Amino acid sequence: MTQVTDDMIQLGLDELGVSDLGAVGAVGGQKAVRKVTDGTRDLVMKVIALTPSAPDALRRAEREVDLLAKLTSPHVVRVESTLRELGEPPVAAAWLEEYLDGEDLTALLGSPWAWSDVAQLGLQVAQGLAAGHDVGVIHRDLSSNNVRRLGDGTFKVLDFGFARHTLLSGITVAGQPGTRGFLSPEHLNSYSGGPMPSSDVFCVGILMFTALTGQPPIPWTGDDDDYLRRLAAVRVSADLPTVRSDLTPAQVALVARCLHPQPARRFTNGARLRDAIEALA
Amino acid sequence: MTTFIEDSPRAFQAKWIAEAVMAGHAQGAVLTPWATPWHHRGGPGKKPGIRERAQELANDAVPLWFDATTHALQMGGVGDFRYYDEFDLWSGPRGDLSTPANRDEHVRKVFDVQDTLGAPHLGPTVLLHTGLSQTSVVALDLARDAVERDPQCWLTIAGTNPFWASGAALDAHIGALAALQPAGWFLAIARPLGTIPVAATRDEVFGLCRTVRALAEDAPVHISHGDLAGLPAIAAGASSVGTGWDKRQRVLSFADYAARTPGATGGGWYERPTLRGLIGSLSSNEANVLQSRDPAFTARMGGLPAPGPKEAFVQHIATLASLVADIATQADFEQRYRRVRDLYHAATGDWGTSLSLSPSDTSAADWIAALEEGLGDYGAAEGW
């Protein structure tokens, strides 16, 4: 895998006209995230290294940034620039996003939340996803690492980085992205049954279940086959009430529907999940 | 809704359909390019053209569907194109869906025929053997083309036994289709053999039930050629099944789309009396023996029709519609499931009685066992 180098980061800073304020999150890998400033406000610069053997990566990134720039949801991180190619021939690409304070959801999970807080998490993440689903963008890699709670309590969805514009044909991948422990059954397939809007809904279900119980519903143990078997056998409607007896049947049913092994049995997309959570309030 | 009458390669009995609709036993007719010609022939023993047929049905207030049945083109041995090739359904070679332009053109042309006939838009599909293949991508592309052209269209899902039994691959494919949110669904199970009782399997029935339960959440589901074997799907939430007076309307079989043998006549009328209590049928001879040996039991099973093909059809569709309505009017999905399970349990016992009175070539093992087992798997998966 091609690594993002200091030279690539400098090329990005120059091309986008911003000054570096330091790394955000882990350093290294095919993608780098830097806190930057344009002199008036703080921003985030994302740099991806381009692999010569995977020329589609640039076109995919261009399209995704272009699509995300069109999303206007308070629950999706805002894109602040177009995607810029770095180098000639291009060795990397970079773009700017709004800078978010607060914490990643991962840091906030571990002990059970009140239903009202979980409902807000589910509702706002669903609203963010709905903005993408409405224009044919599937997140495909929703996990606690790319949901952020801001200082004012607002939840925002980050990194539609593996999203695919489902209305456009052409660039597709057979192997599906995703984060272990946050995969849906269809994440392990390709062809027509690959990730779909209801796959994102499944991941919201994982987030809500984990927030409610402190434990993920299907912990990753390192084996895809084992994970798929347990995904297909998950019975949230039976398991959840034993851990959270304070939940109403309707609340349990909502989370269980998000986590149904059959994608067609879940809420079809973010908008339908949003409506269902609002109806419970 | 309870039943739609499928198109018939045999003489098309428009008046029988009209009477069934008037009686509330059917809610529509389905025409296809495989059994009704585009060009008008007319005259004794000649089929009218599809536009004339549509007008005839419209005059009798029979709701009409046009099912292009594109999925028959992938059936092994397909070859009866007598009527099919009269229709303008392809911009390229017949069945060529290899390019986006060809797929979109096929959908457009199918919708154009439906517009001409005043029928709702029903998207075409291809026949699948698994939910996880390059062909299933073509099916998804066709469905997407149809919904982009008309978001209110219905979609078709057609597969063989291995497709409906393909477990997680089936569920994933259905999920991708469900995301398109069409106005309704036609589901078809294609079988190499046109035998009745159908050669259903437990896994297939379980897959069909799971699929119907998921899709019926948001839109009506019709089981093409479903007939009595479609009752588990009704339990899972489907609203109607396809049927007719001919065997070929009650099962979707490869054999019925194969090239015709020169001089073939199509065989005799299908006049097996359908008995509600058995959720199956007997041959006329078997039924007559049963009637003579125990008239009370025969009456309790639903009684026999008067001789004749129309009488057999009227009794069949009244019985089928009654069963569908019985199931569909249950309070919820669980009660629908329990009702069919109870019907199968009772029928299995009554088959024993029937066979003791009148030996038959078929039994509960043929008519009910696989359907009941698959339905049971569905119920267990739902936690019932």
Side-chain angles (χ1 to χ4, degrees), chain A residues 166-167 186 189-193 196-197 235 257 262-265 268-269 272, chain B residues 131-134 136-137 171-173 175-176 179 181 210 213-214 217-218 382:
Chain A
T166 58
L167 300 181
E186 56 273 18
N189 292 323
S190 55
Y191 296 111
S192 62
M196 55 196 85
R235 290 289 177 268
R257 186 168 174 188
Q262 281 180 266
R265 289 288 292 274
T268 312
N269 51 41
R272 291 202 172 182
Chain B
L132 196 63
S133 67
Q134 290 289 7
S136 70
V137 177
D171 294 342
H173 180 70
Q181 302 180 57
R210 280 200 320 276
R213 175 63 186 83
E217 192 82 38
D218 297 313
E382 294 295 319

mmCIF file of all heavy atoms in Angstrom, chain A residues 166-167 186 189-193 196-197 235 257 262-265 268-269 272, chain B residues 131-134 136-137 171-173 175-176 179 181 210 213-214 217-218 382:
data_model
loop_
_atom_site.group_PDB
_atom_site.id
_atom_site.type_symbol
_atom_site.label_atom_id
_atom_site.label_comp_id
_atom_site.label_asym_id
_atom_site.label_seq_id
_atom_site.Cartn_x
_atom_site.Cartn_y
_atom_site.Cartn_z
ATOM 1 N N THR A 166 -24.602 5.155 -6.080
ATOM 2 C CA THR A 166 -25.267 3.976 -6.617
ATOM 3 C C THR A 166 -26.000 4.260 -7.919
ATOM 4 O O THR A 166 -26.409 3.337 -8.597
ATOM 5 C CB THR A 166 -26.267 3.413 -5.602
ATOM 6 O OG1 THR A 166 -27.209 4.437 -5.289
ATOM 7 C CG2 THR A 166 -25.571 2.967 -4.349
ATOM 8 N N LEU A 167 -26.187 5.506 -8.250
ATOM 9 C CA LEU A 167 -26.891 5.785 -9.494
ATOM 10 C C LEU A 167 -25.942 5.845 -10.686
ATOM 11 O O LEU A 167 -26.369 5.963 -11.813
ATOM 12 C CB LEU A 167 -27.660 7.106 -9.384
ATOM 13 C CG LEU A 167 -28.714 7.138 -8.284
ATOM 14 C CD1 LEU A 167 -29.426 8.477 -8.278
ATOM 15 C CD2 LEU A 167 -29.717 6.020 -8.467
ATOM 16 N N GLU A 186 -24.485 -8.461 4.281
ATOM 17 C CA GLU A 186 -24.213 -8.233 2.862
ATOM 18 C C GLU A 186 -22.860 -7.572 2.620
ATOM 19 O O GLU A 186 -22.395 -7.513 1.477
ATOM 20 C CB GLU A 186 -25.341 -7.428 2.208
ATOM 21 C CG GLU A 186 -25.647 -6.110 2.850
ATOM 22 C CD GLU A 186 -26.643 -6.230 3.995
ATOM 23 O OE1 GLU A 186 -26.848 -7.351 4.511
ATOM 24 O OE2 GLU A 186 -27.196 -5.191 4.379
ATOM 25 N N ASN A 189 -20.634 -9.966 0.939
ATOM 26 C CA ASN A 189 -20.964 -10.390 -0.410
ATOM 27 C C ASN A 189 -20.482 -9.340 -1.403
ATOM 28 O O ASN A 189 -20.128 -8.231 -1.035
ATOM 29 C CB ASN A 189 -22.480 -10.537 -0.581
ATOM 30 C CG ASN A 189 -23.023 -11.685 0.223
ATOM 31 O OD1 ASN A 189 -22.365 -12.706 0.337
ATOM 32 N ND2 ASN A 189 -24.200 -11.523 0.777
ATOM 33 N N SER A 190 -20.542 -9.697 -2.652
ATOM 34 C CA SER A 190 -20.366 -8.695 -3.694
ATOM 35 C C SER A 190 -21.542 -8.856 -4.647
ATOM 36 O O SER A 190 -22.605 -9.282 -4.266
ATOM 37 C CB SER A 190 -19.028 -8.874 -4.404
ATOM 38 O OG SER A 190 -18.906 -10.167 -4.903
ATOM 39 N N TYR A 191 -21.378 -8.541 -5.907
ATOM 40 C CA TYR A 191 -22.451 -8.593 -6.882
ATOM 41 C C TYR A 191 -23.651 -7.798 -6.411
ATOM 42 O O TYR A 191 -23.516 -6.798 -5.715
ATOM 43 C CB TYR A 191 -22.814 -10.046 -7.216
ATOM 44 C CG TYR A 191 -21.683 -10.783 -7.880
ATOM 45 C CD1 TYR A 191 -21.026 -11.798 -7.212
ATOM 46 C CD2 TYR A 191 -21.266 -10.440 -9.145
ATOM 47 C CE1 TYR A 191 -19.979 -12.471 -7.808
ATOM 48 C CE2 TYR A 191 -20.213 -11.116 -9.753
ATOM 49 C CZ TYR A 191 -19.576 -12.125 -9.073
ATOM 50 O OH TYR A 191 -18.536 -12.786 -9.642
ATOM 51 N N SER A 192 -24.834 -8.271 -6.756
ATOM 52 C CA SER A 192 -26.005 -7.426 -6.539
ATOM 53 C C SER A 192 -26.357 -7.285 -5.077
ATOM 54 O O SER A 192 -27.117 -6.400 -4.710
ATOM 55 C CB SER A 192 -27.197 -7.989 -7.314
ATOM 56 O OG SER A 192 -27.521 -9.277 -6.865
ATOM 57 N N GLY A 193 -25.859 -8.180 -4.239
ATOM 58 C CA GLY A 193 -26.250 -8.105 -2.837
ATOM 59 C C GLY A 193 -25.263 -7.356 -1.977
ATOM 60 O O GLY A 193 -25.238 -7.540 -0.771
ATOM 61 N N MET A 196 -25.943 -1.705 0.702
ATOM 62 C CA MET A 196 -27.058 -0.924 0.188
ATOM 63 C C MET A 196 -27.491 0.024 1.308
ATOM 64 O O MET A 196 -26.951 -0.057 2.423
ATOM 65 C CB MET A 196 -28.183 -1.867 -0.228
ATOM 66 C CG MET A 196 -28.626 -2.792 0.882
ATOM 67 S SD MET A 196 -29.599 -4.209 0.329
ATOM 68 C CE MET A 196 -28.321 -5.392 -0.133
ATOM 69 N N PRO A 197 -28.412 0.920 1.081
ATOM 70 C CA PRO A 197 -28.807 1.836 2.160
ATOM 71 C C PRO A 197 -29.184 1.118 3.455
ATOM 72 O O PRO A 197 -28.843 1.581 4.553
ATOM 73 C CB PRO A 197 -29.994 2.585 1.554
ATOM 74 C CG PRO A 197 -29.695 2.604 0.088
ATOM 75 C CD PRO A 197 -29.058 1.273 -0.207
ATOM 76 N N ARG A 235 -30.365 -12.282 17.416
ATOM 77 C CA ARG A 235 -31.778 -12.185 17.791
ATOM 78 C C ARG A 235 -31.924 -11.056 18.816
ATOM 79 O O ARG A 235 -32.032 -11.304 20.017
ATOM 80 C CB ARG A 235 -32.282 -13.516 18.373
ATOM 81 C CG ARG A 235 -32.395 -14.618 17.348
ATOM 82 C CD ARG A 235 -33.557 -14.391 16.381
ATOM 83 N NE ARG A 235 -33.615 -15.426 15.358
ATOM 84 C CZ ARG A 235 -33.017 -15.314 14.171
ATOM 85 N NH1 ARG A 235 -32.331 -14.241 13.864
ATOM 86 N NH2 ARG A 235 -33.124 -16.282 13.292
ATOM 87 N N ARG A 257 -35.266 -4.229 14.366
ATOM 88 C CA ARG A 257 -35.514 -4.098 12.928
ATOM 89 C C ARG A 257 -34.276 -3.576 12.204
ATOM 90 O O ARG A 257 -33.972 -4.007 11.094
ATOM 91 C CB ARG A 257 -36.717 -3.182 12.677
ATOM 92 C CG ARG A 257 -37.103 -3.135 11.216
ATOM 93 C CD ARG A 257 -38.439 -2.487 10.973
ATOM 94 N NE ARG A 257 -38.662 -2.354 9.536
ATOM 95 C CZ ARG A 257 -39.658 -1.692 8.988
ATOM 96 N NH1 ARG A 257 -40.571 -1.107 9.755
ATOM 97 N NH2 ARG A 257 -39.786 -1.603 7.677
ATOM 98 N N GLN A 262 -32.031 -9.991 7.341
ATOM 99 C CA GLN A 262 -32.502 -9.739 5.982
ATOM 100 C C GLN A 262 -32.531 -8.232 5.743
ATOM 101 O O GLN A 262 -33.300 -7.512 6.401
ATOM 102 C CB GLN A 262 -33.928 -10.250 5.797
ATOM 103 C CG GLN A 262 -34.083 -11.731 5.578
ATOM 104 C CD GLN A 262 -35.550 -12.065 5.410
ATOM 105 O OE1 GLN A 262 -36.219 -12.416 6.373
ATOM 106 N NE2 GLN A 262 -36.065 -11.924 4.210
ATOM 107 N N PRO A 263 -31.769 -7.736 4.783
ATOM 108 C CA PRO A 263 -31.765 -6.288 4.546
ATOM 109 C C PRO A 263 -33.152 -5.730 4.235
ATOM 110 O O PRO A 263 -33.465 -4.600 4.625
ATOM 111 C CB PRO A 263 -30.801 -6.106 3.365
ATOM 112 C CG PRO A 263 -30.441 -7.455 2.893
ATOM 113 C CD PRO A 263 -30.781 -8.440 3.950
ATOM 114 N N ALA A 264 -33.970 -6.504 3.543
ATOM 115 C CA ALA A 264 -35.288 -5.993 3.174
ATOM 116 C C ALA A 264 -36.230 -5.908 4.372
ATOM 117 O O ALA A 264 -37.304 -5.312 4.268
ATOM 118 C CB ALA A 264 -35.908 -6.868 2.086
ATOM 119 N N ARG A 265 -35.862 -6.513 5.490
ATOM 120 C CA ARG A 265 -36.701 -6.415 6.681
ATOM 121 C C ARG A 265 -36.349 -5.192 7.532
ATOM 122 O O ARG A 265 -37.037 -4.878 8.501
ATOM 123 C CB ARG A 265 -36.567 -7.680 7.530
ATOM 124 C CG ARG A 265 -37.203 -8.920 6.929
ATOM 125 C CD ARG A 265 -38.717 -8.884 6.958
ATOM 126 N NE ARG A 265 -39.271 -8.959 8.292
ATOM 127 C CZ ARG A 265 -39.527 -10.085 8.949
ATOM 128 N NH1 ARG A 265 -39.251 -11.233 8.390
ATOM 129 N NH2 ARG A 265 -40.058 -10.067 10.153
ATOM 130 N N THR A 268 -35.652 0.706 5.178
ATOM 131 C CA THR A 268 -35.030 0.646 3.861
ATOM 132 C C THR A 268 -33.852 1.603 3.716
ATOM 133 O O THR A 268 -32.893 1.311 3.009
ATOM 134 C CB THR A 268 -36.072 0.980 2.779
ATOM 135 O OG1 THR A 268 -37.243 0.222 3.039
ATOM 136 C CG2 THR A 268 -35.557 0.661 1.400
ATOM 137 N N ASN A 269 -33.920 2.736 4.396
ATOM 138 C CA ASN A 269 -32.858 3.735 4.249
ATOM 139 C C ASN A 269 -32.867 4.659 5.471
ATOM 140 O O ASN A 269 -33.687 4.502 6.390
ATOM 141 C CB ASN A 269 -33.061 4.529 2.951
ATOM 142 C CG ASN A 269 -34.477 5.074 2.835
ATOM 143 O OD1 ASN A 269 -35.036 5.546 3.826
ATOM 144 N ND2 ASN A 269 -35.052 5.006 1.651
ATOM 145 N N ARG A 272 -36.224 6.469 6.378
ATOM 146 C CA ARG A 272 -37.256 5.664 7.048
ATOM 147 C C ARG A 272 -36.883 5.390 8.504
ATOM 148 O O ARG A 272 -37.760 5.340 9.367
ATOM 149 C CB ARG A 272 -37.485 4.364 6.281
ATOM 150 C CG ARG A 272 -38.148 4.625 4.937
ATOM 151 C CD ARG A 272 -38.855 3.407 4.411
ATOM 152 N NE ARG A 272 -39.620 3.754 3.219
ATOM 153 C CZ ARG A 272 -40.382 2.895 2.554
ATOM 154 N NH1 ARG A 272 -40.487 1.655 2.972
ATOM 155 N NH2 ARG A 272 -41.045 3.269 1.493
ATOM 156 N N GLY B 131 -28.790 -15.807 -5.874
ATOM 157 C CA GLY B 131 -28.873 -14.371 -5.642
ATOM 158 C C GLY B 131 -27.538 -13.685 -5.712
ATOM 159 O O GLY B 131 -27.440 -12.485 -5.455
ATOM 160 N N LEU B 132 -26.500 -14.422 -6.067
ATOM 161 C CA LEU B 132 -25.153 -13.867 -6.000
ATOM 162 C C LEU B 132 -24.395 -14.262 -7.260
ATOM 163 O O LEU B 132 -23.619 -15.203 -7.256
ATOM 164 C CB LEU B 132 -24.449 -14.415 -4.759
ATOM 165 C CG LEU B 132 -23.189 -13.714 -4.281
ATOM 166 C CD1 LEU B 132 -23.480 -12.293 -3.874
ATOM 167 C CD2 LEU B 132 -22.598 -14.470 -3.089
ATOM 168 N N SER B 133 -24.653 -13.534 -8.352
ATOM 169 C CA SER B 133 -24.007 -13.876 -9.622
ATOM 170 C C SER B 133 -24.002 -12.648 -10.511
ATOM 171 O O SER B 133 -24.642 -11.643 -10.221
ATOM 172 C CB SER B 133 -24.776 -15.008 -10.319
ATOM 173 O OG SER B 133 -26.049 -14.541 -10.720
ATOM 174 N N GLN B 134 -23.300 -12.763 -11.631
ATOM 175 C CA GLN B 134 -23.327 -11.663 -12.605
ATOM 176 C C GLN B 134 -24.739 -11.485 -13.157
ATOM 177 O O GLN B 134 -25.153 -10.381 -13.475
ATOM 178 C CB GLN B 134 -22.334 -11.957 -13.742
ATOM 179 C CG GLN B 134 -20.873 -11.867 -13.321
ATOM 180 C CD GLN B 134 -20.409 -10.436 -13.043
ATOM 181 O OE1 GLN B 134 -21.192 -9.497 -13.043
ATOM 182 N NE2 GLN B 134 -19.119 -10.275 -12.789
ATOM 183 N N SER B 136 -27.485 -11.909 -11.501
ATOM 184 C CA SER B 136 -28.305 -11.179 -10.530
ATOM 185 C C SER B 136 -28.028 -9.682 -10.609
ATOM 186 O O SER B 136 -28.891 -8.865 -10.287
ATOM 187 C CB SER B 136 -28.073 -11.712 -9.108
ATOM 188 O OG SER B 136 -26.784 -11.383 -8.633
ATOM 189 N N VAL B 137 -26.834 -9.312 -11.066
ATOM 190 C CA VAL B 137 -26.541 -7.893 -11.295
ATOM 191 C C VAL B 137 -27.387 -7.378 -12.458
ATOM 192 O O VAL B 137 -27.917 -6.261 -12.415
ATOM 193 C CB VAL B 137 -25.039 -7.679 -11.574
ATOM 194 C CG1 VAL B 137 -24.751 -6.217 -11.883
ATOM 195 C CG2 VAL B 137 -24.202 -8.132 -10.389
ATOM 196 N N ASP B 171 -31.336 -13.345 0.330
ATOM 197 C CA ASP B 171 -31.729 -12.212 1.176
ATOM 198 C C ASP B 171 -31.016 -10.934 0.753
ATOM 199 O O ASP B 171 -31.616 -9.850 0.751
ATOM 200 C CB ASP B 171 -31.407 -12.520 2.637
ATOM 201 C CG ASP B 171 -32.249 -13.654 3.198
ATOM 202 O OD1 ASP B 171 -33.292 -13.981 2.598
ATOM 203 O OD2 ASP B 171 -31.857 -14.219 4.236
ATOM 204 N N ALA B 172 -29.732 -11.057 0.403
ATOM 205 C CA ALA B 172 -28.971 -9.874 0.002
ATOM 206 C C ALA B 172 -29.505 -9.321 -1.317
ATOM 207 O O ALA B 172 -29.662 -8.105 -1.475
ATOM 208 C CB ALA B 172 -27.489 -10.218 -0.121
ATOM 209 N N HIS B 173 -29.799 -10.207 -2.257
ATOM 210 C CA HIS B 173 -30.329 -9.748 -3.545
ATOM 211 C C HIS B 173 -31.696 -9.075 -3.352
ATOM 212 O O HIS B 173 -31.962 -8.008 -3.921
ATOM 213 C CB HIS B 173 -30.447 -10.935 -4.503
ATOM 214 C CG HIS B 173 -30.981 -10.563 -5.855
ATOM 215 N ND1 HIS B 173 -30.266 -9.816 -6.762
ATOM 216 C CD2 HIS B 173 -32.184 -10.804 -6.444
ATOM 217 C CE1 HIS B 173 -30.998 -9.630 -7.862
ATOM 218 N NE2 HIS B 173 -32.162 -10.221 -7.682
ATOM 219 N N GLY B 175 -32.749 -7.637 -0.734
ATOM 220 C CA GLY B 175 -32.533 -6.357 -0.069
ATOM 221 C C GLY B 175 -32.176 -5.263 -1.056
ATOM 222 O O GLY B 175 -32.657 -4.130 -0.952
ATOM 223 N N ALA B 176 -31.314 -5.604 -2.016
ATOM 224 C CA ALA B 176 -30.925 -4.614 -3.021
ATOM 225 C C ALA B 176 -32.132 -4.193 -3.858
ATOM 226 O O ALA B 176 -32.305 -3.014 -4.181
ATOM 227 C CB ALA B 176 -29.828 -5.181 -3.912
ATOM 228 N N ALA B 179 -34.639 -1.922 -1.933
ATOM 229 C CA ALA B 179 -34.206 -0.525 -1.791
ATOM 230 C C ALA B 179 -34.764 0.348 -2.903
ATOM 231 O O ALA B 179 -34.824 1.569 -2.761
ATOM 232 C CB ALA B 179 -32.681 -0.460 -1.787
ATOM 233 N N GLN B 181 -37.841 0.340 -3.897
ATOM 234 C CA GLN B 181 -39.165 0.745 -3.441
ATOM 235 C C GLN B 181 -40.197 0.868 -4.581
ATOM 236 O O GLN B 181 -40.791 1.925 -4.779
ATOM 237 C CB GLN B 181 -39.085 2.053 -2.670
ATOM 238 C CG GLN B 181 -38.158 1.970 -1.467
ATOM 239 C CD GLN B 181 -38.073 3.281 -0.704
ATOM 240 O OE1 GLN B 181 -39.076 3.821 -0.253
ATOM 241 N NE2 GLN B 181 -36.879 3.800 -0.556
ATOM 242 N N ARG B 210 -39.607 -15.964 3.461
ATOM 243 C CA ARG B 210 -38.784 -14.867 3.998
ATOM 244 C C ARG B 210 -38.858 -13.645 3.092
ATOM 245 O O ARG B 210 -38.986 -12.516 3.547
ATOM 246 C CB ARG B 210 -37.313 -15.299 4.085
ATOM 247 C CG ARG B 210 -36.928 -16.143 5.247
ATOM 248 C CD ARG B 210 -35.416 -16.097 5.517
ATOM 249 N NE ARG B 210 -34.569 -16.108 4.357
ATOM 250 C CZ ARG B 210 -34.185 -17.200 3.709
ATOM 251 N NH1 ARG B 210 -34.597 -18.383 4.124
ATOM 252 N NH2 ARG B 210 -33.393 -17.121 2.653
ATOM 253 N N ARG B 213 -42.351 -12.013 3.205
ATOM 254 C CA ARG B 213 -42.547 -11.302 4.481
ATOM 255 C C ARG B 213 -41.835 -9.947 4.457
ATOM 256 O O ARG B 213 -42.356 -8.947 4.966
ATOM 257 C CB ARG B 213 -42.024 -12.162 5.631
ATOM 258 C CG ARG B 213 -42.062 -11.498 7.000
ATOM 259 C CD ARG B 213 -43.471 -11.162 7.444
ATOM 260 N NE ARG B 213 -43.467 -10.400 8.691
ATOM 261 C CZ ARG B 213 -43.291 -9.077 8.764
ATOM 262 N NH1 ARG B 213 -43.136 -8.377 7.656
ATOM 263 N NH2 ARG B 213 -43.301 -8.464 9.931
ATOM 264 N N ALA B 214 -40.646 -9.919 3.863
ATOM 265 C CA ALA B 214 -39.881 -8.668 3.804
ATOM 266 C C ALA B 214 -40.524 -7.672 2.846
ATOM 267 O O ALA B 214 -40.714 -6.505 3.188
ATOM 268 C CB ALA B 214 -38.445 -8.961 3.377
ATOM 269 N N GLU B 217 -43.998 -5.871 3.585
ATOM 270 C CA GLU B 217 -44.003 -4.798 4.585
ATOM 271 C C GLU B 217 -44.429 -3.481 3.956
ATOM 272 O O GLU B 217 -45.104 -2.666 4.586
ATOM 273 C CB GLU B 217 -42.592 -4.658 5.166
ATOM 274 C CG GLU B 217 -42.484 -3.806 6.402
ATOM 275 C CD GLU B 217 -42.851 -4.570 7.665
ATOM 276 O OE1 GLU B 217 -42.514 -5.763 7.791
ATOM 277 O OE2 GLU B 217 -43.487 -3.957 8.516
ATOM 278 N N ASP B 218 -44.031 -3.269 2.698
ATOM 279 C CA ASP B 218 -44.224 -1.960 2.073
ATOM 280 C C ASP B 218 -45.048 -1.967 0.795
ATOM 281 O O ASP B 218 -45.406 -0.906 0.300
ATOM 282 C CB ASP B 218 -42.854 -1.336 1.747
ATOM 283 C CG ASP B 218 -42.042 -1.068 3.003
ATOM 284 O OD1 ASP B 218 -42.602 -0.500 3.950
ATOM 285 O OD2 ASP B 218 -40.857 -1.452 3.025
ATOM 286 N N GLU B 382 -39.219 -16.631 12.688
ATOM 287 C CA GLU B 382 -39.921 -15.471 13.244
ATOM 288 C C GLU B 382 -40.102 -15.599 14.757
ATOM 289 O O GLU B 382 -40.623 -14.682 15.403
ATOM 290 C CB GLU B 382 -41.288 -15.317 12.570
ATOM 291 C CG GLU B 382 -41.223 -14.973 11.089
ATOM 292 C CD GLU B 382 -40.602 -13.607 10.829
ATOM 293 O OE1 GLU B 382 -40.898 -12.666 11.569
ATOM 294 O OE2 GLU B 382 -39.788 -13.500 9.884
#
